[in-house]
Coordinates of all heavy atoms in Angstrom, one line a residue:
Q154 N 1.3 -17.3 25.3 CA 2.1 -18.4 24.7 C 1.3 -19.7 24.6 O 1.8 -20.6 24.0 CB 3.4 -18.6 25.5 CG 4.3 -17.4 25.4 CD 5.5 -17.5 26.3 OE1 5.4 -17.7 27.5 NE2 6.7 -17.4 25.7
D155 N 0.2 -19.8 25.3 CA -0.5 -21.1 25.4 C -1.3 -21.3 24.1 O -1.8 -22.4 23.9 CB -1.4 -21.2 26.6 CG -2.4 -20.1 26.7 OD1 -2.4 -19.2 25.9 OD2 -3.2 -20.1 27.6
D156 N -1.4 -20.3 23.2 CA -2.1 -20.5 21.9 C -1.1 -19.9 20.9 O -1.2 -18.7 20.5 CB -3.4 -19.8 21.9 CG -4.2 -20.1 20.6 OD1 -3.6 -20.4 19.6 OD2 -5.5 -20.1 20.7
P157 N -0.2 -20.7 20.4 CA 0.8 -20.2 19.4 C 0.2 -19.5 18.2 O 0.8 -18.5 17.7 CB 1.6 -21.4 19.0 CG 1.4 -22.3 20.2 CD 0.0 -22.1 20.7
E158 N -0.9 -20.0 17.7 CA -1.5 -19.4 16.5 C -2.0 -17.9 16.8 O -1.8 -17.0 16.0 CB -2.6 -20.2 15.9 CG -2.1 -21.5 15.3 CD -3.3 -22.2 14.6 OE1 -4.4 -21.8 14.6 OE2 -3.0 -23.3 14.0
L159 N -2.7 -17.8 17.9 CA -3.2 -16.4 18.3 C -2.0 -15.5 18.6 O -2.0 -14.3 18.2 CB -4.1 -16.6 19.5 CG -4.7 -15.2 20.0 CD1 -5.5 -14.6 18.9 CD2 -5.5 -15.5 21.3
H160 N -1.0 -16.0 19.3 CA 0.2 -15.3 19.6 C 0.8 -14.7 18.3 O 1.1 -13.5 18.2 CB 1.2 -16.3 20.3 CG 2.6 -15.7 20.5 ND1 3.0 -15.2 21.7 CD2 3.7 -15.6 19.7 CE1 4.3 -14.8 21.6 NE2 4.7 -15.1 20.4
L161 N 1.0 -15.6 17.3 CA 1.6 -15.1 16.1 C 0.7 -14.2 15.3 O 1.2 -13.2 14.7 CB 2.0 -16.3 15.2 CG 2.7 -16.1 13.9 CD1 4.0 -15.3 14.2 CD2 3.0 -17.4 13.2
A162 N -0.6 -14.4 15.3 CA -1.5 -13.6 14.6 C -1.6 -12.2 15.1 O -1.6 -11.2 14.4 CB -3.0 -14.2 14.6
Q163 N -1.5 -12.0 16.5 CA -1.4 -10.7 17.1 C -0.2 -10.0 16.7 O -0.2 -8.8 16.3 CB -1.5 -10.8 18.6 CG -2.8 -11.3 19.2 CD -2.8 -11.4 20.7 OE1 -3.8 -11.4 21.3 NE2 -1.6 -11.4 21.3
I164 N 0.9 -10.6 16.7 CA 2.2 -10.0 16.4 C 2.3 -9.6 14.9 O 2.7 -8.5 14.6 CB 3.4 -11.0 16.7 CG1 3.5 -11.0 18.3 CG2 4.7 -10.5 16.1 CD1 4.5 -12.0 18.8
Q165 N 1.8 -10.5 14.0 CA 1.8 -10.1 12.6 C 0.9 -9.0 12.3 O 1.2 -8.1 11.4 CB 1.5 -11.4 11.8 CG 2.6 -12.4 11.8 CD 2.2 -13.6 10.9 OE1 1.1 -13.9 10.6 NE2 3.3 -14.3 10.4
A166 N -0.3 -8.9 12.9 CA -1.2 -7.8 12.7 C -0.5 -6.5 13.1 O -0.6 -5.5 12.4 CB -2.5 -8.0 13.5
Y167 N 0.2 -6.5 14.3 CA 0.8 -5.3 14.7 C 1.9 -4.9 13.7 O 2.1 -3.7 13.3 CB 1.4 -5.5 16.1 CG 2.4 -4.3 16.5 CD1 1.9 -3.1 16.9 CD2 3.7 -4.4 16.3 CE1 2.7 -2.1 17.2 CE2 4.6 -3.4 16.5 CZ 4.1 -2.2 17.0 OH 4.9 -1.1 17.3
N168 N 2.8 -5.9 13.3 CA 3.9 -5.6 12.4 C 3.3 -5.0 11.1 O 3.9 -4.1 10.5 CB 4.7 -6.8 12.2 CG 5.5 -7.2 13.4 OD1 5.7 -6.4 14.3 ND2 5.9 -8.5 13.4
N169 N 2.2 -5.6 10.6 CA 1.6 -5.0 9.3 C 1.2 -3.6 9.5 O 1.4 -2.8 8.6 CB 0.5 -5.9 8.9 CG 0.9 -7.3 8.5 OD1 2.1 -7.5 8.2 ND2 0.0 -8.3 8.4
W170 N 0.5 -3.3 10.6 CA 0.0 -1.9 10.9 C 1.2 -1.0 11.0 O 1.2 0.1 10.4 CB -0.8 -1.9 12.1 CG -1.2 -0.4 12.5 CD1 -2.2 0.3 11.9 CD2 -0.5 0.4 13.3 NE1 -2.2 1.6 12.4 CE2 -1.1 1.7 13.3 CE3 0.7 0.3 14.2 CZ2 -0.7 2.8 14.1 CZ3 1.1 1.4 14.9 CH2 0.4 2.6 14.9
L171 N 2.3 -1.4 11.7 CA 3.5 -0.5 11.8 C 4.1 -0.2 10.5 O 4.5 0.9 10.2 CB 4.5 -1.2 12.7 CG 5.7 -0.4 13.0 CD1 5.4 0.9 13.8 CD2 6.7 -1.3 13.8
S172 N 4.1 -1.2 9.6 CA 4.6 -1.0 8.2 C 3.8 0.1 7.5 O 4.3 1.0 6.8 CB 4.7 -2.3 7.4 OG 5.0 -2.0 6.1
E173 N 2.4 -0.1 7.6 CA 1.5 0.9 7.0 C 1.8 2.3 7.6 O 1.8 3.3 6.8 CB 0.1 0.5 7.3 CG -0.3 -0.8 6.7 CD -1.7 -1.3 7.3 OE1 -2.4 -0.4 7.8 OE2 -2.0 -2.5 7.2
F174 N 2.0 2.4 8.8 CA 2.3 3.7 9.5 C 3.6 4.3 8.9 O 3.6 5.5 8.4 CB 2.4 3.6 11.0 CG 2.6 4.8 11.8 CD1 1.5 5.4 12.4 CD2 3.8 5.4 11.9 CE1 1.7 6.6 13.1 CE2 4.0 6.6 12.6 CZ 2.9 7.2 13.2
C175 N 4.7 3.5 8.9 CA 6.0 4.0 8.4 C 6.0 4.3 6.9 O 6.7 5.2 6.4 CB 7.0 3.0 8.7 SG 7.4 2.7 10.4
S176 N 5.1 3.7 6.1 CA 5.1 3.9 4.7 C 4.6 5.3 4.3 O 4.8 5.7 3.2 CB 4.1 2.8 4.1 OG 4.6 1.5 4.2
H177 N 4.1 6.0 5.3 CA 3.7 7.4 5.0 C 4.9 8.2 4.6 O 4.8 9.1 3.8 CB 3.0 8.0 6.2 CG 2.4 9.3 5.9 ND1 1.2 9.6 5.3 CD2 2.9 10.6 6.2 CE1 1.0 10.9 5.2 NE2 2.0 11.5 5.8
D178 N 6.1 7.9 5.2 CA 7.3 8.6 4.8 C 8.5 7.7 5.2 O 8.9 7.7 6.3 CB 7.4 10.0 5.5 CG 8.6 10.8 4.9 OD1 9.5 10.2 4.4 OD2 8.5 12.1 5.0
L179 N 8.9 6.9 4.2 CA 10.0 6.0 4.5 C 11.3 6.6 4.8 O 12.2 5.9 5.3 CB 10.1 5.0 3.3 CG 8.9 4.1 3.0 CD1 9.1 3.3 1.7 CD2 8.6 3.2 4.2

């Protein structure tokens, strides 16, 4: 939490990857 930009970038990268994974069969 001491670097909000890195915090958010990590979370958004994970969420984007998860969407890619689920997109294989929605």
Side-chain angles (χ1 to χ4, degrees):
Q154 297 171 303
D155 56 355
D156 189 330
E158 289 189 359
L159 180 60
H160 173 100
L161 184 59
Q163 290 182 160
I164 287 174
Q165 290 184 333
Y167 169 81
N168 291 341
N169 291 344
W170 175 82
L171 183 62
S172 172
E173 295 168 21
F174 186 98
C175 294
S176 293
H177 185 81
D178 190 334
L179 295 175

